[in-house]
Amino acid sequence: MKLNIALLAGDGIGPEVIAQAVKVCDAIAVKYKHEINWTSALTGACAIDDCGEPYPDSTHEVCLAADAVLFGAIGHPKYDNDPKAKVRPEQGLLKMRQKLGLFANVRPTFTFPSLIDNSPLKRERIEGTDLIILRELTGGIYFGERGRKDDGNTAFDTCTYTRAEIQRLAKLGFELAMTRSKRLCCVDKANVLESSRLWRETVQDMEKDYPEVTVAYEFVDAVAMRLVQWPNSYDVLITENLFGDILTDEASVISGSMGLMPSASKGLHTSLYEPIHGSYPQAAGKDIANPLATVLSAAMMLEDAFGLQAEADAIREVVNKSLADGIVTEDLSGKNKAYGTNAVGDWLAKNI
Ligand code: IPM
Ligand code: MN
C-alpha cells in the first residue's frame, strides 16, 4: 500500500519523538511491503519563527493532501508568561482543528500490566482500566464569542453548541460503544448549563437508534471524582470541549505515564494522530523524552486511517516487549538503566 503521511513535528520534544515513530513506521513498511511518503511541514512556535503564522496555509495544504497527519506537540515557554502575545503556538492547534474539521478527539486510557505500580493510584483501583474519552473538539467555549467589556475589567467567553454538533460527536460515541461493552457515559453539567441541557436532550433522543447501548448521564464534577476512584468502571465517555480537555488530562495519568497515551482527532477531512503529552520544553534536545505515546499514535493511525491491523498490532507488541525488557526512557526506568529517546526508537525499529 502507498501511504501519504503529513508529518508535523512541532515544538519542544515533538521532533525527537516524531523521529522515533518514523523509524518504527519505516521498519513496518519494509516488513509488510508498504511505501510511506512522509511530507514534513511546520506548525506551532517553529512556524511562527519561520513565517509569523502558527498554522500556515502551506501546512494546511500538506495536511489536506495527505491520507493522515502525524503530529508531535506544540508550545514554547516564551509565550506562556506573556498574556499579551498576539500570536501564540496554541492558536495553530486550534486553527488546524477548525480548518481540518477535527470535531472528535479520541483519547484512550488503558493500563500496561508491567507499569501498574507507576500509577499514582492503587493497583486495585486501576487494574483492568480501559476507557475512551471522546471529546468534542471544534465547538464550545474554545470557539465561542469572547472579549472584554469597554472598561477592560470584565471578560467573557461563551459556550455555544448546536444540536448538529452534538449529534455528530454522540454518533461516534454510540458507534464506538457498540464495538465495545455497549456502555456510554454522557458527561455534562446539565444541572447548571443550558448548553449541557441541549447535550443531554440530544443524546437522549438518539438512544432509540442504539437500543443495545446503555447510556448513563453524569455530571462532570462527579465524573472527575469517580475517574480517580473507579476508573475501571467507565468505558466510552462523550463530552464537550472544555470538560474533555480537563478530564483527558486527568485520565492520562491513571496509566502511570503520560508518555504512553496516544490519541486521534477525526472529522471532516484528514484525521490527525498525536501523543497526549505536550511539548515538554524542559526535555527538548536532551534525548530523554519518552517516544512511546507517539509510536502508539502511529499504530492508531495505521489501524484507523489505513485499516492496517496486523501492522498496528506489531507496533503494540514491540512496545509491550520494550516495556517488559526495560528498554525505556528515564520516566519509566526507576532505579534501572534509562535509555535515550533515540535508543528506544532504534530498539523498537530493530525488533519490528
Ligand atoms: C490539548 C491541549 C490544547 C487544548 C491546548 C494546547 C490549546 O491542552 O490538546 O488538550 O486545550 O485543547
Ligand atoms: Mn489539554
Side-chain angles (χ1 to χ4, degrees), residues 263-298:
S263 77
S265 298
K266 304 182 194 190
L268 308 177
H269 308 290
T270 324
S271 296
L272 177 141
Y273 300 83
E274 63 173 310
I276 276 183
H277 61 69
S279 57
Y280 193 15
Q282 304 85 335
K286 294 191 179 150
D287 196 36
I288 56 171
N290 186 344
L292 295 184
T294 312
V295 169
L296 291 170
S297 299

Side-chain angles (χ1 to χ4, degrees), residues 107 135 142 245-246 248-249:
R107 294 188 171 180
R135 165 187 174 194
Y142 272 68
D245 178 48
I246 298 166
T248 53
D249 259 28

Side-chain angles (χ1 to χ4, degrees), residues 159-180:
C159 177
T160 306
Y161 269 107
T162 65
R163 199 179 290 274
E165 284 173 321
I166 301 165
Q167 276 166 343
R168 65 183 183 181
L169 191 274
K171 180 169 183 283
L172 292 185
F174 276 107
E175 286 167 1
L176 191 59
M178 284 299 289
T179 67
R180 295 169 53 97

